Structures are given as C-alpha cells and as structure tokens.
Amino acid sequence: MGFVLVAGVVSLVATALFARSVLGADKGTEAMQDIARAIREGAHAFLRRQYRTVAILAVVVMGILFPVERMTRGNEVAWRTIVAFVIGAVCSAGAGYWGMITSLHANVRVASASRVSVDRALTLALRGGAAAALPVIAGSLLGVAGLFMAFGGLGAPRAVPYQIVGFAFGASFVALFAQLGGGIYTKSADIGADLVGKVEKGIPEDDPRNPAVVADLVGDNVGDCAGRGADIFESASAETIGAMILGVTLYPVFGSAGVLFPLVAGGFGLLASIVGILASRMKNESDDPMSAMTRGHLVTLLFTSVGLYVAVQYLLGGNAWLLVAGLIGVLASFVFAAITRLYTGIGHRPVSWIAESSLSGPATNITSGFSVALESTALPVVTIAVALLSAYECGLHGLPNVPGAGLYGTAVATIGMLSTVGYVLSMDMFGPITDNAGGIVEMSGASDEARTRTDRLDAAGNVTKATTKGYAIGSATLAAFLLFSAYLDEVTLLARAKLTAAGDIHAASFHFAHIDIAKVPVFLAALAGATVVFVFSGLAIRAVVHGSHAVIREVRRQFHENPELMHHASRPDYARCVDIVTASALHGMIAPGILGVAAPVVVGLLFDAIAPHTFLGAEAVGAELLVGTIAGVLLGSLMNTGGGAWDNTKKFIESGVLGGKGSDAHKAAVVGDAVGDPLKDTAGPSLHVLIKLLGTVSLVTAPLFV
C-alpha cells in the first residue's frame, strides 16, 4: 500500500510539473486571450449549474439508499456505503472539473504555439492533456486505496472490498450525468453551428461571425474534458474494485496480496504513463502527430509490462500464467486503439470510401458511414472474446483445481488493460485542447500557417478521441464482466445468509452461478436489458436534436436580424447561444440518467414480487446485466467508430481532396458529420458508463431482491 500511495503522489507531482510547463508558455495575442476568456466563462457557468442539478439527484439517491442498506446490511455497513458513495461522487465530479480547468488554460497556449511549429503545439497539448488526465487516475487509485485502509481493509481484506462498492456507484452516478449533460451540450452547439454556418452561410468552421461558435468551443471542454474525465475516473474505480472483489475468492491462495494486486498494478501503470508522455515527440515538422503519440503509447505499454512483471513476482508468487493474462490485457488495449485508428484514421480505407461516397450527396455519405459503423463492431468483439477466453484459460492453468481461478485470470487481464489508462486519457484530452486551439486561431485572425498546423493536430485529436472511446468500450466490457462476477458472489453470500436464517441445512453449499434464460421471466428481463440500452440512447440523441433545433433557430435569427454579421461589421450575441444550450442540456440529461439508475432496481423488485423466496429477482437482474452489456457494447462500438469515421471524412475533404472546403462533397460530409456527432460524443460514450452503472447499482441494491 505504501507503493500505491507513493505512485499516486508521484503522479500528482508530475501533474504539477506538466501544468507549470503549459502555464509558463506564451498566451498569444490579446484577441486569442479574449476568446479563451469567453470560453472559460461559458464552461464554468454550465458546469456549476450541471453539478447543482446532479447534487440534488444524488441527495435523493442517498435518501433511498441509506434506509435500504440499513435494513438489509446493518447500520455500520449502511453508513460505510453512503460515505463511499459521497466520496466517489465528489471525486468523480472533481476529476471532471479538473480536466476541464486544465483544458481551458491549455487551449490558448497551444493556439499561440501553433504560430511557431506543430511539434511545439503538440508537446503543449499532450502535456496539457497529461496534466488533466493523471490526477483523474491518481484520484481513483488513491480514493479506492484510502477507503480500503480507512474501512480496515488491511485487517479485514475479505470483507472491505464489498463495502467500497458505493465508491464506484457514486463515481458512476456522477459520470453518467456528466457525460450525458456534456455530450448533449457539445453536440447541440456543434450541429447548430455547422449546419447554419457551413451549409447555409458557407462560412468556415469556428468563424467568429457564427453566433454559436463560442458555445461549440465551450462544448468541447464540458463534454470531451469534464465528461470524459468523470467517465474514465469511474471506469478505473469500477474495474479496480471489481478485480479486488474477485481477489477475495482467491484469498486462501494469495492472501491479501491477491486483493491488493489491482492497486499495485495501477500504480505501475501511472508511472509508465508519465514516461510515455515524455517520450511523445515529433521527429520533424513533417512527421505525423498521430505517429508521435503512437510511439509514446508503445513506450507506455513497454513500461507497463515491466511493472506487471514486478507486481506478479511480489504479489502473485511469480505465477507465469497470471503474468501472461496481464500481458494479454495490455496487448488488448493496443489492439483496440489500432482497430479504432483503422476505421477512423484519415488515409485508411473506411474514411476514404465514405469521402468518395460524399460525391453523390448526403444520402450516400450517411449510408456508407452507417455500413462502416456496422462493420466496425466485429473486430472489437473478436478482441474481447480472445482476451477473455485466453485470460480465463491462463487462470485455470496457473491455478489448477482452484475455484475461481479462471475468473481471476480475467481480472488480471482487465487490470493489465486498465494500466495504460493514464496515457490513453492524456491522448483523449489532447483532442479537445487542439480543437479549441484551432477555433481560437480562426476567430483571432491568426495566419493561415497556424490554422494549417492546428488542423493537423485536430485531425490527430479526432483519432485520439475515437481511440479512447474504443478503449473505453473494451475496458467497459471487461469491467462489466468483473462486476457481473462480483454480483454473482454477492448474491451467493446474501442468499446463504437468508437460507441460514430460515434453517436450511444446505445453505452453506448454495452457490448462485447460473442464469437460466430458458425461463420466461428471465428471458423477459434479458430483453428488458437490451431495451434499456436502446431507449437510453434514443433519449440522449433526442435531447441533442432538441438542443440543436434551438441553436439553429437562434443562429438564423441573429443572421436575419443583423445582416452586418456576415460583413464582420457587428459582433454576434454569443452568450445567448451558450444559455440556450446550457438549459437544453440540463433538461435533456435527466430522463436517460434516471432510466439507467432505476432499471436494475425495477426489474429486480418486479420479478422478486412474482416469485418471492426463489431468487428469481436476482436471476432476472443477472440476465438484464448480461444482455444489457452485450447490447451496450455493440451499440456503443457502432456509434463511437461510425461517428469518428464521419468526422474525419469531413476533415479529409477539408484538407483539399474531392473539391475541398465549400464543395458539394464537403457539404455532404458536413451533414454526415452532424449525424455522427451525437452518436460518438453523446450516446456512445454514455453507454460506457451505463454498462458499468447497471453493475454497480445491482451490487449495491442486491439485498432488495435476494
């Protein structure tokens, strides 16, 4: 545990150094600073209102959760669950807020650096991303470790991991609303700005004449930074706690070391991410920015592998098979990134084909993009299948005849994949920073060379954002599998206690390990799990549509009532668009958020009422988790990859091919991008959180239907 705490502190020190190097850079012209100031004001205003709304909802959840936990688990466990929930929620909100703050100060400095060189701008953007990302992962690591010790985990390592599930629940709860609200905001503004500005008025992206352009730039921060920061914080927390719970099942083999392994491996991953960030430099000005970051990713993978070896040697008895399981997870993280680059990278076949289809108009652009999105689900599923099955077999071979060995192998693989998350999130934060930098360059009237440089970084940023989403959906799948396994263990313990109280002589041998989907009620619950995923996505996209309609009407109104805008003779009312999008996003996030939180509880209570004392409610929730995860993984992968491909198709044409900016192909690509935007930045990323939220809610509320 000492090493875990040291690794977390070292990461925070590295954060301070990265932040200092970014903040010490030139802030650019006065015009650049004015624009950056407007973006900061809009972002702060939205996040304050969003977190107030989430805080009210969190209080309602605590008011329901505490009496349930007290009635079913006792007063002490109830208080610990509530404390863990509050700390997880506060840390998740803090992670999102810190990510946004850092991005808001890095964007103008990257814009200024783009006047000098691509390499200088890339270095500042990636270090700004690191300064935003590392505290998120360190906060997750230190939060879980701190609660584990505070609740007496060093003395009772078999009981405490179950008591800190509330931390993951609180993190998931806040992350869902942060991702939903930020995603709705950013895409409502983006679509409204693009469709009126680019298609109707024929003006460039981020043109200062567009009244929605500041709202669009604000959206990059509240969606891609605040939302993604909370999302990844929640992912790291849920996966770590899930792996610790599975470590409890192998306590007779490894003792507390098997429980602490996820924390130690996470510490090594954080340190490896710092090395990878420092190694990410361009060879020369003509080098591809994406290649520079890929080299840094490979360095991170290498040092992570070394850290896993050390952790396995000292904590898992040097078990070679479990080391292989961890390396399988590390390799899977790189494969997910490679698959995403294949389908979304400029110059690869899918993006080139969608671009060529754009010559025939918006309909063929959308049709071809959707076909790529559908096709893109296959390779991630194959990767997940190979990783899980291989890791499971490694567990069986490494620990023959040990109950739970295969599942622990999958837990080690999940931790291996999670270990690189510090670098992956840094690459993700790089995206909105460079996107904002490009907007600041355009709005401030900087040179064409500066805009060309930020366009190169922005194209790479689109790939890094898509890469993180591919990584997130893969890690969410493995995390959901861990949480499902932990759910089975939790139901087993609760059922044994209930049977023992009823005087059942077979209580000690009871094991809840099977979900019988041939039972009609269980089949219906499974169907409900898939339905929740689709309805949730529909509500999220509908909220974007409502928001974009409001923005489009406002932008059209300003252009109509103030014709001087087109001649740069008047300043648009940017604040009006910011207010419209803020209200729309806060309203639109509530319904899908409540659906995600309530679904497991409603299903469990309903089917438990149908057949009480048979554990049908618990079995129904298990089926909902399984099928909801499957549907969420496939739909999330489709949305993330398809949306990324549509976005980079637009960038590809804007680089000068197929007629370039203003051509019919470009207008078709803008429409396709507008279709893909709410998929990749609102519904798709929110599904990562939903998948894990279903698991954490089920774990915490299991006593209600067992």
Side-chain angles (χ1 to χ4, degrees):
M1 291 301 289
F3 168 76
V4 173
L5 298 178
V6 169
V9 171
V10 168
S11 298
L12 296 179
V13 171
T15 296
L17 294 176
F18 285 138
R20 192 172 80 169
S21 70
V22 173
L23 294 176
D26 179 58
K27 292 189 290 186
T29 64
E30 190 62 36
M32 288 180 172
Q33 294 178 50
D34 286 342
I35 296 161
R37 195 175 300 114
I39 297 170
R40 285 198 296 272
E41 290 171 359
H44 282 294
F46 171 76
L47 219 59
R48 282 195 298 268
R49 291 174 61 177
Q50 184 189 44
Y51 281 174
R52 280 200 300 268
T53 304
V54 174
I56 293 170
L57 295 172
V59 169
V60 173
V61 169
M62 286 191 292
I64 298 171
L65 183 62
F66 180 74
V68 170
E69 291 291 296
R70 187 176 184 181
M71 179 178 63
T72 57
R73 300 180 194 259
N75 191 59
E76 182 181 357
V77 173
W79 275 112
R80 288 187 173 188
T81 300
I82 290 298
V83 169
F85 176 86
V86 171
I87 293 175
V90 170
C91 288
S92 183
Y97 191 74
W98 173 258
M100 186 194 76
I101 289 292
T102 309
S103 170
L104 288 170
H105 286 283
N107 56 12
V108 68
R109 291 163 172 84
V110 173
S112 178
S114 69
R115 298 177 299 169
V116 180
S117 71
V118 177
D119 181 52
R120 175 62 178 159
L122 180 142
T123 300
L124 281 179
L126 189 57
R127 292 189 177 186
L134 291 177
V136 172
I137 312 305
S140 171
L141 190 71
L142 294 173
V144 174
L147 273 179
F148 182 80
M149 291 189 293
F151 288 176
L154 296 179
R158 306 177 77 170
V160 170
Y162 292 97
Q163 298 171 7
I164 59 176
V165 171
F167 182 88
F169 179 29
S172 298
F173 182 83
V174 170
L176 183 67
F177 286 102
Q179 186 65 73
L180 268 172
I184 293 167
Y185 186 110
T186 184
K187 291 304 105 181
S188 297
D190 193 5
I191 292 171
D194 278 0
L195 290 183
V196 179
K198 290 183 178 180
V199 177
E200 294 183 10
K201 297 298 182 180
I203 58 179
E205 185 171 4
D206 300 324
D207 192 294
R209 292 171 289 180
N210 193 327
V213 71
V214 170
D216 184 12
L217 295 173
V218 169
D220 293 333
N221 294 282
V222 301
D224 290 334
C225 289
R228 194 82 70 254
D231 176 4
I232 297 297
F233 177 91
E234 175 267 340
S235 292
S237 303
E239 290 173 26
T240 300
I241 293 172
M244 292 173 72
I245 289 174
L246 290 184
V248 171
T249 64
L250 268 70
Y251 188 84
V253 180
F254 297 120
S256 60
V259 179
L260 298 178
F261 173 80
L263 294 171
V264 175
F268 278 116
L270 263 175
L271 299 179
S273 297
I274 296 170
V275 178
I277 291 160
L278 293 172
S280 300
R281 297 297 298 266
M282 294 176 64
K283 295 178 179 178
N284 50 59
E285 274 295 289
S286 62
D287 191 15
D288 181 8
M290 196 64 231
S291 297
M293 286 185 284
T294 301
R295 287 192 290 272
H297 194 185
L298 290 172
V299 170
T300 302
L301 293 172
L302 175 62
F303 279 87
T304 295
S305 301
V306 173
L308 276 175
Y309 172 80
V310 175
V312 170
Q313 284 294 119
Y314 281 92
L315 296 176
L316 304 183
N319 192 303
W321 283 103
L322 293 181
L323 174 61
V324 172
L327 295 177
I328 287 171
V330 173
L331 179 61
S333 72
F334 184 76
V335 172
F336 276 116
I339 291 170
T340 305
R341 286 194 293 269
L342 171 66
Y343 280 101
T344 63
I346 290 178
H348 293 289
R349 180 191 64 82
V351 167
S352 298
W353 181 58
I354 299 171
E356 292 170 3
S357 301
S358 304
L359 292 169
S360 303
T364 48
N365 172 283
I366 293 168
T367 305
S368 59
F370 189 61
S371 72
V372 167
L374 291 168
E375 175 193 325
S376 70
T377 59
L379 289 179
V381 169
V382 171
T383 303
I384 291 167
V386 171
L388 278 178
L389 186 59
S390 301
Y392 189 86
E393 289 296 321
C394 285
L396 294 179
H397 283 82
L399 300 167
N401 303 318
V402 175
L407 287 177
Y408 194 69
T410 64
V412 174
T414 303
I415 293 304
M417 184 173 182
L418 178 67
S419 297
T420 62
V421 69
Y423 186 83
V424 173
L425 183 58
S426 299
M427 286 199 302
D428 183 76
M429 296 290 189
F430 168 93
I433 289 173
T434 55
D435 195 352
N436 263 211
I440 292 171
V441 165
E442 181 73 32
M443 293 184 70
S444 64
S447 66
D448 291 341
E449 291 80 3
R451 182 65 198 192
T452 300
R453 292 175 184 131
T454 56
D455 281 346
R456 288 178 61 191
L457 295 176
D458 189 23
N462 283 337
V463 178
T464 61
K465 288 188 288 186
T467 297
T468 304
K469 290 163 190 168
Y471 172 89
I473 200 68
S475 65
T477 308
L478 298 181
F481 185 74
L482 290 185
L483 291 171
F484 176 73
S485 301
Y487 171 76
L488 297 181
D489 289 342
E490 175 74 350
V491 172
T492 297
L493 294 175
L494 292 169
R496 285 176 181 174
K498 188 173 183 179
L499 292 171
T500 300
D504 192 322
I505 60 174
H506 302 294
S509 61
F510 177 83
H511 195 67
F512 186 75
H514 302 287
I515 306 294
D516 187 359
I517 205 165
K519 296 178 182 177
V520 172
V522 178
F523 173 78
L524 294 177
L527 190 61
T531 304
V532 166
V533 169
F534 281 86
V535 173
F536 174 91
S537 302
L539 292 173
I541 294 171
R542 178 185 296 177
V544 174
V545 173
H546 284 316
S548 60
H549 277 171
V551 173
I552 288 171
R553 286 194 296 269
E554 175 61 22
V555 174
R556 285 174 175 167
R557 182 193 67 80
Q558 290 198 35
F559 275 122
H560 176 72
E561 295 181 2
N562 190 0
E564 293 182 349
L565 284 178
M566 287 298 292
H567 305 292
H568 297 279
S570 180
R571 179 183 173 88
D573 185 357
Y574 298 123
R576 177 61 182 156
C577 285
V578 171
D579 289 340
I580 288 172
V581 182
T582 298
S584 178
L586 294 177
H587 180 267
M589 73 180 186
I590 294 175
I594 292 175
L595 173 65
V597 174
V601 180
V602 172
V603 166
L605 292 175
L606 175 63
F607 286 100
D608 184 60
I610 291 174
H613 312 301
T614 63
F615 306 119
L616 180 64
E619 195 171 358
V621 171
E624 182 187 39
L625 289 179
L626 276 176
V627 178
T629 298
I630 293 169
V633 167
L634 292 173
L635 191 58
S637 180
L638 179 152
M639 290 178 172
N640 291 334
T641 310
W646 267 311
D647 194 349
N648 265 354
T649 295
K650 180 190 70 176
K651 296 291 183 187
F652 183 47
I653 293 174
E654 287 176 346
S655 68
V657 302
L658 303 176
K661 293 182 180 180
S663 66
D664 289 340
H666 180 235
K667 292 179 180 178
V670 170
V671 174
D673 181 38
V675 173
D677 269 345
L679 305 186
K680 71 179 176 65
D681 288 326
T682 306
S686 299
L687 287 177
H688 311 160
V689 188
L690 177 68
I691 290 170
K692 290 163 289 185
L693 181 68
L694 294 175
T696 54
V697 170
S698 300
L699 269 172
V700 171
T701 60
L704 285 175
F705 39 80
V706 174

